[in-house]
Every structure is written in C-alpha cells, then in structure tokens.
Amino acid sequence: MGWQARQTKASGTLKPVRLIPYGEDPLAVLVDTLLTDQASRLPQLDHVTILLPDLAESQRLRHLLLTHHKKPGALLGPQISTLRSYLEANTPPAGSILNTHAQELMLVEVLRNHPLSGQGNPWHLADELLKLFEALQLGPGEKLSMESIPTAFSNEAANIQLLWQAWQTQLDTEKATTRANLYSNGLSNALFLEQQKDKQIYFLGYDWLHHAELDFLLRYLKKGQAQIFVSPDQPLWSQLHQAGISLPENNEKDELGTLLNSVYADDRQVLKDRAKGYRKKPSPLVGRISIFKAGDAEQEARAIDIQARQWLLDGHQYIAIVTEDRRLARRISALLRRANIDAQDSAGWPLSTTTAAGTLERWLETVESDFNHLPMIDVLKSGFLSSPEFSKEAVYHLQLDIIEREGVPHNVQAYRQALTNRTAAPGGKRSAIVEQTYTLLDHLEHAAAPLLHVMSRSALDPESMIDALRESLVRLGLWHGYDLDSAGQRIQQELQDMQQALNHLDLKLDWFEFRSWLGRALETHNFRPALENSPIRIMRFDQSRLGRYDGVIIAGADNQHLPGSQHRQIFFNEAARYELGLQTWEIERQQCFSQYRRLLQAAPQILISYTGESGDSPALPSSWIDLLETFHDYTSEQSIENQDLHQMLTLESAQIESPYPANNPEPAMQPRPAMPLELVPKQISASSHQQLIDCPYHFFAARGLRLREREQIAEILGKREFGSLIHRCLQAFHSNLDDLDGPFAQTVTEDNRANATQMLESISLQVFEPELETNFEHRGWWQLWQGLLPGYIDWQIKRAETWTVSDVEKEYRRPIGNTSTQLMGKIDRIDQQSAGFGLIDYKTGTIATPAKVESGEAVQLLTYALLIEETLETVYLGFDARKGVKTESKVDQEVLAQLLPAVEARLVSMLTAIEHGHTLPAWGDDSSCRFCEIAGLCRKPTWHSDGIP
Ligand code: SF4
C-alpha cells in the first residue's frame, strides 16, 4: 500500500478519496461531506474551492449547500469552478491569450508552408492538431520541445514536432499564448496555491485525468489540501490505484446496485451462474428499469415523448433524456414542442444547422452566384427580413413573373431588364408592385456591394472581410433580424469573436479561405437555446454525471450509439496513442460505461429505449443493454419490456391533438387518370419519350396538364450550366456561330493538333469569360474544362480517322405511326461515313448504362436514331473530371436494327392507347421518383396499399 489517508479532520487536512455510491446524489454526498469537514469554520467557506468538469449543475450545488447548511449565518463561499478555469484565472499569462479562432487562423498559416498541409482540409487539420498539441502537453513522458525530437516519436510524430515548433515560434513572434499553455503552466506551477496553505479543494465528477492533471491532483491530495470523489467503474479509479492511493471499499448496500454490480461484474464467472443468487427473489429491476424496443426511429421518438409527458403528469419535475443520437434528440424535442413543452437541450447543435446560419449561407451564395434565383428567393422568404423593401408582393412578383415566366435565372441587371420589358409590353404599366420590385432589387444590390468588393480582391486582411460581411448584413436587414433571434445573436457573437481573434495578427486570406474559416466557426460552435427552467433536459452521457433525476430515459441505446464506435483519428493509431499517454478509445469506452452505470441508479424510474432497425438493416441493442436483459431473463419470469408504452402508442388519447381539428384526408390512391384528347401533346421529344416510359402519370402531369414551369425554368437555367457551355464551345468548334471564333475548318490530325487546340481554347475563353465575371462558381468549371480540353482533341483526332462531322445541334422531326403526335429531337452531333450516320450526345452528368440502353429502357439515343434513317451507331461522349473524355454506352447497327422497330412500336402503341382514353398510371421507380418535380401531386408515399393494382 502506498501513502494513504493518515491525515485526520482534526489536523485540518482532508481525507484524499471518497467513494460515491451509484445510488446516491453526487452533489448531496459532496455537500454533506464538505459541511461536516468544514463544520468548525462555518459559515466561512471562502478557503474552499469545488472543482467540477463543467458548471451545468453548479446552480443545484449552490442550492444544496444553502439548504443543507443548518447553522446560523449566510455561507461565505465556497468558490465553484472547473479545474481549467480555476488555474487559468490564477496563472499570469506570458503574452496575450488567443481565442480558438485566432489559434486556428495562425495554425492554418503555419500549415500553408508545411508538407502536412497536403493531407486535407487545413481547418480540420488545424483543429485536430491543436487538440493533439494540448493532449501531448498534458500527457506523460517526453514533452514536445523546441530542441530535440522525442525518441518515442515516429516519422509522423517528428513531423508534428516540427509543426509544433513552427507554431510556438509564431506564438513568440506574435507575443501571444494559448489557453492550453496557460493551463499547462498552471498545472505544473500553481504558485498561488503554494502560498495559500489553508486552501482546500474538492474534486467531483472527473472520470479520467490527463497525466499533468493527475500530477496536480496527487500533489494536493498528498498535502491533505484536496479530496476527490470517485466511483469504482471510472477509469480515474484505476489511475488513483496505480498511483498508490488507497481506495475505499465498495460496500454496495442497495439491492438494485448489488444486482447491477453482478450484471456487469468483470469476473470469469458466466452470466448464468452470476444470476443464480438472484432467482426466487422479486427482481429489483421490475418496476424500476424498463426497456422499450421500437420498430423504427419515429416510434422510438414518439414513445419517449409519451413517457416524458406521462411522468410530467405524475408530478416528476426533473426528467433527463440522455442520448448520443443527435437526430433522435431533435425529433424528441420537436414532438415535445407540439405539446407546448420546451425541453432544454443541453448538448445543443452546431450553429451551422440553425435557420439563422442557413440564411447567412444562402445570402453568401446569392452574392457569389450573381444573384442566382434559388438562394436569393430563400433569403427573401427566410422570415429574417422585415424591412419595407421586402414586401411579399414584390418577392412573389420577382419569383413568379420575372424568374419563372420571363425565365431569368440570375443577375440583377437581367431581372431589371425583364421588369422593364414586361412593363413596356402592350398594356403593361408600372404598377405599385413593379415599383416595389425595382426597390427590392436596388436594395439587394446595395446590400451585396461590400461583399462584392472583398470577393474581387485576391487577398485581404480578414478583419476587412468581417467588416464587409457585417456591413452587408446590416444593409440587407439580416443583422436586425438576428437581434431578435437567439441563434442569430450567437452568430453575431461568433463574428465578434472572430474579429477579436484578429487583433495583432498580420494575415491575408482570399475569399475562399475566409469562407472556410467562417464555415468552420459555424460548424464547430454549438447553439443551445436558453431554457434554464425546463423540467425536461436532453443531454449527452457526459453531461449527466452529476445529475439526480425523478426519471431518466436512456434513448438510442443501440450498439451504434452506446458506447458508439471509435472516432477516426488523423494522427497516431491506438497503440501509439497508448504509448504517448493520449486518451484511447478504451478509456473513452470506460468513461461512457461509468456514466451509463451511474444513470441506472440516478432516478427511481429508468426507461431504456432503442430502435430495432437502422436504415435497411436490423440494429442491435448495446451489449450493455443486452447483458442486462439476459441477466434479468435468468432471474425472473416477469419481463422488463415496457408493454405499457406499446399500448399507449396505439391510444388516441396519448397523442397530441392538432389545435386545428379537421377531418383526416382519405387515404391517397395511386393516380391513373386518362388524358383528354385535347391535352395529348402534339409533339414528343426524347425527354418526354423517356418520361412516358419511366412514369406515364408524370408524362400526363408534365406534358398534358403542362405542370412543368419548374422544368422549363430548369431548362432555361440549364443553358448556363457547365454542360451547355461545353456544348456551345464544341458547336462553335465544328460549325459556324456568328458571335464566336471557329469553326476549325480542317480535319483534326496529329499534324494540326496545336492549331486545333488553340482554336478550341480561344472559343472556350469567349464562351466562359462572360460567365466568369458574373458567377463565382463558374471558375471551377473553367478549370475543369481546361483540364478536359486536350482529351477532347485526342478523341477527335481518333474519331476523324473514320468519321466526319456532318451536323451539330440540329433539330429533327417526323410523324410517329398513325398518331397525331410528332417525334422530335435536337441532336448534339451527327457524324457521317459513306454507309450512314453516327449520333453523338455530349454528357457531363450521369450516363445511361449499356444495359439500360440495349434493353430499350433508356430511350434518348434511340429516339434520335428513330429520327435519322441509316443510323449506324449511337454513342454518349462523356466529359468527366475523373474519367476524362470517353465514349460510353455505344449501340451499333446490328443492335439498333433489332431495337428500333420494337421501341417505335411501343411508342406508337402507348400514344394510340392514350388517344383512346387509356389511363396513365404512376409507376415511377425509386430513381425516377427521387428527382420528380410533381412528387407533391402524385403523393406516392401516402398511397393506400389497396390503390396499387
Ligand atoms: S413521384 Fe414517381 S410515381 Fe409519382 S409521378 Fe413522379 S415519377 Fe411517377
């Protein structure tokens, strides 16, 4: 046995370790111990400090101190803090302290000149490195040093050492320090504590400590100035044991605690044998712990919602919902809100997922994409803009009349021009709405101006960028909208912190780097709505370790979330982490288990829930839950499965009613209307032909009812898409277009390759240049096309050996059977040889597979072949960043000879059937439905099964 608790209360020193039985409230144990230890000095407790891992339970701790203190006089102290804040506050800094934003910025700057920067996103790398530097600083063994490379380090570690040295040099140059340095210095020196001999410190809630933290703790335990409260399953228990601290016996007396200790005993006895001693007794689990297995995630969320509300009705005032499944947490929150219960979500969620951050992102996209209508309309309808410039009428006029009807996809000047054209039309006059729409556009342009200015600069100090962003948001009115929204206020705060981070830093960023920095700030900082007094708290496991509740729900207790899986570490594998004294996955697992184990006794009633399915695959419960259930099955006939909840889920009285009662809609049926003769289209293009094959109802709605405004817009917008720009370049290269260079009049061969390339480059520049000026995103396309262009010339040289270009971008038509419909198609390129034609379709996106083409399922190229007699082959020419320029899904003459008559006969028969009043059923498969524009009309997910023939 090492040194131990020889000190006594009489000598004014503290007993080093106290055990907290799982069944007891840790804060109450601390308060009782502290008031007893300090009885002689009460009510004076200003020499006492209580250190907790976080301050979430500090209010309850103060309340317990006040209520348990029975002696006269108001308590003076104690101080309640975290170890880190306590030391940081008492350690003089050696330079100005950088906040996390500033540290990331500086480290990204260091990484720019280092080989490691090639390993991925520099912001992510910086984030991981900062954590790693701190962990290595607090770990055991050889510390990172400015002189030598630790012998335990591999090449990878040596690289990190070099980075750390560069980082420290940068800090020295900037006369700055980090909170991690301050904390590390505080742990090793703590001079202020050395001078306060009567200071006494209580540690509570720590599961595991870094080596330097443990050293600090042991120093003051040995002096009798500190006391720590631990539970047997915490990894800290082993750390103290290994440090030679004698630990108290775990004499569990509680019946449930004894049983749970047997369930999770770490011994060689098999579970069944361990369970023997508990047979024939009423199980303490029954009525105390129950398990709910849900069929799907929605059912689990609804069951938890019902259980939480039931407990509230039973008078419970403090309910914890503990889960690592953030999606489930948000769903539960939403369900409770339907019942007017605002649960306090202690874990919060990334700021980037809030509507406020989403609107900011859409505004930046609006400016970057030259006022593209999609992000712009989202901003205008966000609900954050309340200034008179954004009247609803003006927004709808802009969307419906200018963007949709006039087909203007982006550019403020183009929107204005379309407005002018409309009012100049016969009968058109400038109404109040038109005037409001002009004002709206002026306002948008004015708000974007500061951002456009900084975006146009190659590199700028980030302070000016934040100023410009703020100014833009103020002008837009979004800043004012943020004043009234708690997530918006957090964004304002974050921008302020980012600005502060830049004090004294001499950095230059381009717009892309600034965007990454901003995006990272919103992603890595959480938002927690302030709801201090809610009776229901949703939290992670580590946030539950000091709580005591009336009811606990351990939710999402499947093996993917409890204990979850090992995070992917960028640096060092598990073995190296263990050697370097860094936190390993095994330690994390032990911490999670001790938190879970404590929760099982943290309330008189516990519900554990999990979902039996995850996506398409069955999910397993956590092995800890499995063990509990199996052990119980060995000991008792009574199930601990929560049947009540299953039953309540079926009860209407357990559901929250809508405040707007209405009859439930009739179950929807699979639509299969007939098309009135006058609605049958007079022409059918390759894409409508495809639509008819994929889903006749889609064809009916889009082509018959002409519900295809969105599609038309998409087509108009598509003209500016990457594929269309390439089409235009190649059209000019092979034919005469007035406004562009070209065509290249000779056959392209190896001999004239340079001239051909030069010509295509010159055409491409003319096509892309106007787009580059107005649209930020197009710069990436330009680079992509520059990379693909030589591949096209290679392909063309080969192609020209057997084919000559006959026509490009040409439209063809012909009647189809005896129907009243014409078949039509615009073919990208028709090549010729003596025996016939080769049809080419340029593709920058997904290409139909050969199997789909040859089975007649993908009909685009076959439709073209129906239009051109003597077609010898059809091919897709793919333009792909990865694969280069390549022909795909080629169909030759022999296959065409078999396929075309069948495809034509099918089309004639379908059109004839439509003309004769046959119905058009909705039968789209998943791939068609995923992108279907009229899915809202067909409502496939709501179809009643009887409606499906
Ligand atoms: S959602 Fe699917 S089934 Fe419904 S119309 Fe669209 S493609 Fe057809």
Side-chain angles (χ1 to χ4, degrees):
M1 190 170 76
W3 83 277
Q4 53 184 296
R6 288 183 295 272
Q7 296 92 341
T8 64
K9 202 170 49 176
S11 68
T13 55
L14 298 174
K15 202 172 169 180
V17 182
R18 293 266 184 178
L19 177 83
I20 302 194
Y22 282 123
E24 291 186 32
D25 178 0
L27 295 188
V29 173
L30 169 82
V31 166
D32 287 343
T33 309
L34 184 151
L35 292 177
T36 309
D37 285 351
Q38 309 296 336
S40 60
R41 298 184 65 169
L42 286 174
Q44 199 125 14
L45 289 178
D46 51 352
H47 62 290
V48 173
T49 298
I50 300 173
L51 297 179
L52 310 172
D54 60 60
L55 298 181
E57 291 283 333
S58 59
Q59 208 179 336
R60 193 167 72 88
L61 177 56
R62 284 194 192 287
H63 177 73
L64 285 172
L65 276 165
L66 292 175
T67 49
H68 285 222
H69 166 54
K70 305 274 189 245
K71 295 196 174 174
L75 286 181
L76 189 62
Q79 180 186 7
I80 300 174
S81 183
T82 64
L83 176 58
R84 184 182 276 268
S85 312
Y86 179 57
L87 290 177
E88 281 174 8
N90 288 290
T91 307
S96 57
I97 302 171
L98 300 180
N99 67 18
T100 44
H101 296 302
Q103 290 179 45
E104 278 188 357
L105 264 180
M106 269 178 57
L107 193 52
V108 165
E109 180 75 359
V110 170
L111 280 169
R112 276 182 184 160
N113 306 317
H114 194 277
L116 261 183
S117 58
Q119 288 191 4
N121 182 329
W123 299 97
H124 187 48
L125 204 59
D127 194 33
E128 289 279 325
L129 273 170
L130 286 171
K131 283 188 210 141
L132 185 69
F133 289 162
E134 176 170 336
L136 286 168
Q137 253 175 307
L138 299 178
E142 297 176 81
K143 298 280 183 291
L144 293 168
S145 108
M146 292 301 279
E147 283 87 37
S148 61
I149 300 207
T151 49
F153 280 18
S154 60
N155 281 348
E156 178 193 10
N159 252 336
I160 288 165
Q161 169 87 359
L162 289 173
L163 265 175
W164 185 81
Q165 287 171 350
W167 164 237
Q168 292 302 322
T169 308
Q170 184 93 355
L171 283 175
D172 288 346
T173 314
E174 302 285 349
K175 295 193 176 44
T177 189
T178 64
R179 290 186 61 194
N181 283 343
L182 204 58
Y183 183 41
S184 172
N185 291 342
L187 286 168
S188 46
N189 299 324
L191 288 176
F192 72 100
L193 265 178
E194 298 299 327
Q195 290 152 8
Q196 299 175 46
K197 300 286 182 210
D198 75 331
K199 191 81 188 167
Q200 300 206 312
I201 309 172
Y202 292 82
F203 289 80
L204 177 73
Y206 292 89
D207 292 323
W208 178 83
L209 294 173
H210 285 287
H211 190 81
E213 293 168 331
L214 188 66
D215 269 356
F216 174 86
L217 171 71
L218 292 174
R219 232 169 36 238
Y220 292 95
L221 288 185
K222 288 176 184 175
K223 288 182 183 184
Q225 273 186 268
Q227 182 172 83
I228 184 147
F229 293 76
V230 276
S231 302
D233 291 303
Q234 287 174 316
L236 181 59
W237 182 277
S238 313
Q239 286 184 297
L240 292 170
H241 178 68
Q242 282 163 17
I245 304 286
S246 71
L247 298 164
E249 284 271 311
N250 180 19
N251 289 325
E252 181 66 74
K253 299 214 171 51
D254 181 87
E255 202 186 3
L256 176 63
T258 316
L259 179 139
L260 290 170
N261 285 348
S262 294
V263 174
Y264 297 111
D266 189 14
D267 62 26
R268 287 171 186 277
Q269 209 181 6
V270 290
L271 192 69
K272 198 169 182 178
D273 294 338
R274 292 209 297 269
K276 269 184 194 156
Y278 294 89
R279 284 188 204 138
K280 296 187 191 142
K281 295 181 195 167
S283 169
L285 290 178
V286 176
R288 185 93 185 258
I289 296 180
S290 67
I291 295 178
F292 178 81
K293 179 181 172 184
D296 56 42
E298 180 62 16
Q299 192 188 43
E300 183 179 2
R302 286 178 50 225
I304 292 166
D305 163 50
I306 289 175
Q307 182 64 83
R309 286 189 285 118
Q310 182 61 53
W311 279 347
L312 284 181
L313 290 173
D314 294 346
H316 290 8
Q317 291 177 359
Y318 204 30
I319 297 167
I321 300 173
V322 186
T323 184
E324 295 294 321
D325 183 344
R326 294 305 306 150
R327 189 184 294 194
L328 179 63
R330 289 188 81 157
R331 181 66 189 136
I332 296 166
S333 223
L335 287 174
L336 288 167
R337 210 169 302 125
R338 258 185 6 184
N340 283 331
I341 302 165
D342 280 320
Q344 183 187 340
D345 192 338
S346 316
W349 48 83
L351 203 44
S352 58
T353 61
T354 60
T355 316
T359 309
L360 170 62
E361 175 62 28
R362 292 304 260 169
W363 172 239
L364 295 179
E365 282 173 22
T366 303
V367 182
E368 287 166 350
S369 64
D370 190 24
F371 297 87
N372 181 297
H373 68 293
L374 292 173
M376 183 179 76
I377 292 295
D378 283 353
V379 172
L380 292 174
K381 291 185 174 176
S382 70
F384 281 98
L385 308 183
S386 54
S387 53
E389 288 84 357
F390 300 117
S391 74
K392 260 193 198 133
E393 291 77 10
V395 172
Y396 282 111
H397 182 51
L398 178 64
Q399 183 183 9
L400 296 178
D401 296 328
I402 305 305
I403 295 169
E404 300 201 355
R405 299 222 167 88
E406 296 294 323
V408 183
H410 65 199
N411 188 293
V412 173
Q413 208 39 50
Y415 296 138
R416 272 203 202 99
Q417 187 59 52
L419 256 182
T420 310
N421 294 347
R422 275 181 82 81
T423 43
K429 56 178 193 262
R430 278 176 80 131
S431 64
I433 294 178
V434 171
E435 290 300 345
Q436 285 169 20
T437 313
Y438 276 115
T439 310
L440 181 150
L441 291 172
D442 291 346
H443 194 73
L444 284 176
E445 203 172 37
H446 177 63
L451 286 176
L452 287 170
H453 174 69
V454 294
M455 281 177 194
S456 65
R457 306 282 295 272
S458 58
L460 205 62
D461 60 291
E463 226 163 344
S464 307
M465 293 191 179
I466 297 179
D467 282 342
L469 175 58
R470 192 177 186 281
E471 176 61 22
S472 171
L473 298 182
V474 170
R475 288 186 187 186
L476 183 66
L478 192 53
W479 193 264
H480 176 64
Y482 282 173
D483 286 341
L484 312 171
D485 177 83
S486 45
Q489 287 164 15
R490 277 283 291 115
I491 292 176
Q492 292 174 331
Q493 178 64 47
E494 220 45 66
L495 288 173
Q496 203 174 318
D497 289 352
M498 288 168 75
Q499 189 110 23
Q500 236 171 30
L502 298 164
N503 277 345
H504 317 299
L505 292 189
D506 183 20
L507 278 179
K508 294 272 184 280
L509 299 180
D510 65 25
W511 177 250
F512 286 114
E513 289 169 321
F514 175 73
R515 283 283 264 131
S516 299
W517 183 40
L518 176 66
R520 183 115 194 103
L522 300 179
E523 222 169 85
T524 51
H525 289 82
N526 268 15
F527 167 67
R528 289 183 203 95
L531 282 169
E532 288 305 328
N533 297 318
S534 172
I536 300 181
R537 289 189 179 194
I538 301 175
M539 61 186 81
R540 296 189 312 259
F541 278 81
D542 64 335
Q543 293 172 317
S544 72
R545 53 193 157 181
L546 294 177
R548 186 78 191 167
Y549 312 97
D550 296 332
V552 165
I553 299 172
I554 300 176
D558 56 69
N559 62 351
Q560 288 174 19
H561 294 99
L562 189 65
S565 50
Q566 193 179 328
H567 317 297
R568 210 187 128 262
Q569 306 279 2
I570 293 186
F571 305 109
F572 304 132
N573 58 27
E574 276 293 283
R577 296 183 82 80
Y578 179 76
E579 271 176 39
L580 294 168
L582 303 177
Q583 194 176 39
T584 58
W585 162 238
E586 177 51 27
I587 295 291
E588 277 181 48
R589 200 194 61 78
Q590 285 174 25
Q591 281 179 274
C592 185
F593 176 75
S594 66
Q595 289 152 11
Y596 157 77
R597 173 65 187 82
R598 206 190 75 72
L599 273 174
L600 294 180
Q601 288 180 263
Q605 282 179 297
I606 313 286
L607 169 71
I608 300 171
S609 72
Y610 67 92
T611 297
E613 274 177 20
S614 165
D616 294 336
S617 52
L620 296 171
S622 160
S623 57
W624 301 334
I625 311 298
D626 206 19
L627 211 57
L628 183 67
E629 270 189 304
T630 314
F631 187 95
H632 178 73
D633 288 347
Y634 286 136
T635 62
S636 175
E637 303 278 298
Q638 256 182 299
S639 167
I640 52 170
E641 200 175 330
N642 195 320
Q643 294 299 344
D644 292 352
L645 269 180
H646 279 289
Q647 221 172 12
M648 281 166 91
L649 276 167
T650 63
L651 295 180
E652 255 183 54
S653 55
Q655 316 302 325
I656 295 294
E657 281 181 17
S658 162
Y660 310 105
N663 291 335
N664 282 339
E666 292 295 318
M669 311 285 270
Q670 180 198 32
R672 38 186 320 118
M675 190 184 278
L677 204 52
E678 65 274 15
L679 293 187
V680 177
K682 295 284 169 278
Q683 59 184 33
I684 182 165
S685 64
S687 62
S688 2
H689 184 185
Q690 188 66 57
Q691 214 162 47
L692 183 59
I693 303 295
D694 290 342
C695 176
Y697 179 72
H698 192 180
F699 176 83
F700 163 81
R703 311 289 158 170
L705 299 181
R706 298 190 171 80
L707 298 179
R708 51 183 193 141
E709 249 114 85
R710 300 226 157 254
E711 196 180 312
Q712 282 172 334
I713 286 206
E715 278 169 17
I716 292 161
L717 302 186
K719 288 190 180 138
R720 306 243 171 188
E721 295 297 329
F722 178 55
S724 299
L725 297 180
I726 290 184
H727 275 66
R728 204 159 147 66
C729 295
L730 297 181
Q731 187 181 0
F733 186 66
H734 293 295
S735 71
N736 190 18
L737 288 185
D738 287 347
D739 52 342
L740 295 174
D741 286 353
F744 189 73
Q746 305 151 35
T747 303
V748 186
T749 62
E750 281 300 344
D751 295 339
N752 61 18
R753 169 194 288 275
N755 290 344
T757 306
Q758 201 181 18
M759 167 73 78
L760 187 52
E761 280 174 351
S762 147
I763 294 170
S764 302
L765 200 59
Q766 290 168 358
V767 170
F768 274 84
E769 209 164 40
E771 299 301 320
L772 298 181
E773 278 167 16
T774 58
N775 195 324
F776 218 64
E777 189 188 356
H778 291 183
R779 292 181 196 178
W781 295 354
W782 171 234
Q783 279 168 1
L784 177 58
W785 174 231
Q786 280 181 308
L788 290 168
L789 191 150
Y792 178 75
I793 297 290
D794 287 345
W795 179 86
Q796 178 57 36
I797 290 174
K798 192 103 192 79
R799 179 86 179 169
E801 290 170 7
T802 44
W803 295 93
T804 49
V805 181
S806 163
D807 261 314
V808 288
E809 305 286 341
K810 186 154 182 195
E811 190 175 296
Y812 293 84
R813 289 170 182 271
R814 60 161 271 212
I816 183 87
N818 289 327
T819 67
S820 53
T821 307
Q822 265 203 333
L823 188 65
M824 56 88 66
K826 191 169 179 193
I827 306 174
D828 289 346
R829 170 166 159 179
I830 301 115
D831 281 359
Q832 191 171 14
Q833 30 176 251
S834 54
F837 299 96
L839 312 185
I840 299 175
D841 190 68
Y842 302 138
K843 276 273 183 279
T844 50
T846 315
I847 294 179
T849 60
K852 284 206 163 186
V853 178
E854 289 176 17
S855 64
E857 220 183 298
V859 293
Q860 185 194 11
L861 285 176
L862 302 176
T863 308
Y864 295 159
L866 285 175
L867 290 166
I868 308 267
E869 282 180 23
E870 296 171 353
T871 298
L872 302 179
E873 68 169 37
T874 61
V875 291
Y876 285 114
L877 183 61
F879 294 83
D880 183 275
R882 204 165 40 85
K883 296 196 238 167
V885 179
K886 201 170 158 227
T887 48
E888 299 206 32
S889 300
K890 177 175 162 183
V891 184
D892 61 25
Q893 193 177 11
E894 206 178 316
V895 179
L896 285 173
Q898 289 175 4
L899 261 180
L900 291 180
V903 170
E904 180 165 7
R906 179 179 62 185
L907 180 58
V908 171
S909 125
M910 288 180 96
L911 289 172
T912 311
I914 292 171
E915 286 179 1
H916 284 85
H918 284 230
T919 56
L920 292 102
W923 67 34
D925 63 11
D926 287 350
S927 59
S928 312
C929 300
R930 198 174 315 137
F931 302 108
C932 179
E933 287 288 330
I934 53 146
L937 188 69
C938 127
R939 299 171 65 215
K940 185 175 179 183
T942 66
W943 290 350
H944 194 269
S945 59
D946 294 349
I948 300 169

